[in-house]
């Protein structure tokens, strides 16, 4: 993640359970509902809330390390959920192969 005022990276190990939870999160987002992902306490936590048409609120919380939370509104491109579903399937195929 990088902006003019924020620059950070968080190495995150992803499990197959995390991938299942990601699919569920994308399904909820497609239904215009808020989600929380990676909230096991072992890594950063991601929260996404629909704010208004075409705008989502994204919060990333680094609980295990710095306790820093960054929140910002984003206007993702049309089709972003479908794009992320395709990326998720690519990850699953790569891990299975």
């Amino acid at each position: 993640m990088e902006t003019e005022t924020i620059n950070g990276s968080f190495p995150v190990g992803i499990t197959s359970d995390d991938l299942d939870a990601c699919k569920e999160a994308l399904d909820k987002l497609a239904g215009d509902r808020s989600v929380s992902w990676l909230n096991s306490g072992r890594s950063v936590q991601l929260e996404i809330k629909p704010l208004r048409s075409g705008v989502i609120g994204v919060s990333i919380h680094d609980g295990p390390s710095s306790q820093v939370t960054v929140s910002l509104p984003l206007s993702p491109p049309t089709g972003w959920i479908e794009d992320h579903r395709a990326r998720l399937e690519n990850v699953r195929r790569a891990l299975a192969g």
Side-chain angles (χ1 to χ4, degrees):
M1 165 183 61
E2 188 169 339
T3 70
E4 291 180 21
T5 57
I6 299 171
N7 181 357
S9 64
F10 303 96
V12 177
I14 302 292
T15 67
S16 106
D17 288 341
D18 294 330
L19 296 178
D20 292 342
C22 181
K23 181 188 180 310
E24 292 173 16
L26 290 170
D27 291 344
K28 286 181 182 178
L29 286 167
D32 220 21
R33 293 182 288 165
S34 297
V35 300
S36 178
W37 186 58
L38 296 176
N39 54 359
S40 67
R42 64 176 165 72
S43 68
V44 297
Q45 178 180 350
L46 179 70
E47 293 184 12
I48 303 173
K49 298 178 188 179
L51 298 178
R52 58 187 178 278
S53 181
V55 180
I56 58 174
V58 177
S59 292
I60 301 167
H61 176 66
D62 179 24
S65 181
S66 68
Q67 296 295 311
V68 169
T69 299
V70 175
S71 298
L72 60 149
L74 295 176
S75 297
T78 301
W80 73 276
I81 293 174
E82 292 78 15
D83 178 56
H84 280 73
R85 284 181 173 147
R87 291 170 188 259
L88 174 60
E89 288 311 309
N90 288 338
V91 169
R92 286 186 187 274
R93 278 193 295 276
L95 292 176

